[in-house]
Amino acid sequence: MVKVIYEGDDFKRMLRTDLQKLERLVEAKKFGIFEVEYKEGKIKVEIKKKGPDVVVKRWRPV
């Protein structure tokens, strides 16, 4: 079983429908940077594999 780790508080404040769309991306084993809906706007999130776990965090360009 793969463990999904959400880094940051942004995901706790997401609407349930937006979080379900994000979970579908994780279930489909899509990795990379994606633009997802967040309340009235959109944010970019990075989904990557770290060992046996999947890490989801907000992507901010450096």
Side-chain angles (χ1 to χ4, degrees):
M1 189 88 186
V2 176
K3 183 178 177 184
V4 180
I5 301 169
Y6 293 98
E7 291 185 356
D9 294 334
D10 297 318
F11 302 107
K12 293 178 184 175
R13 293 188 294 255
M14 274 183 116
L15 297 175
R16 183 175 299 213
T17 55
D18 297 340
L19 189 59
Q20 287 175 342
K21 292 176 187 176
L22 180 60
E23 288 174 349
R24 283 190 216 125
L25 283 173
V26 173
E27 288 176 6
K29 297 181 182 174
K30 304 265 184 177
F31 301 112
I33 299 171
F34 299 96
E35 193 171 272
V36 296
E37 294 180 20
Y38 183 76
K39 297 184 181 177
E40 275 93 43
K42 293 189 178 213
I43 62 170
K44 290 188 178 184
V45 295
E46 181 180 14
I47 304 171
K48 63 181 177 179
K49 190 156 179 86
K50 189 174 187 181
D53 302 333
V54 175
V55 178
V56 180
K57 66 179 184 177
R58 188 168 182 180
W59 185 78
R60 293 183 174 105
V62 178

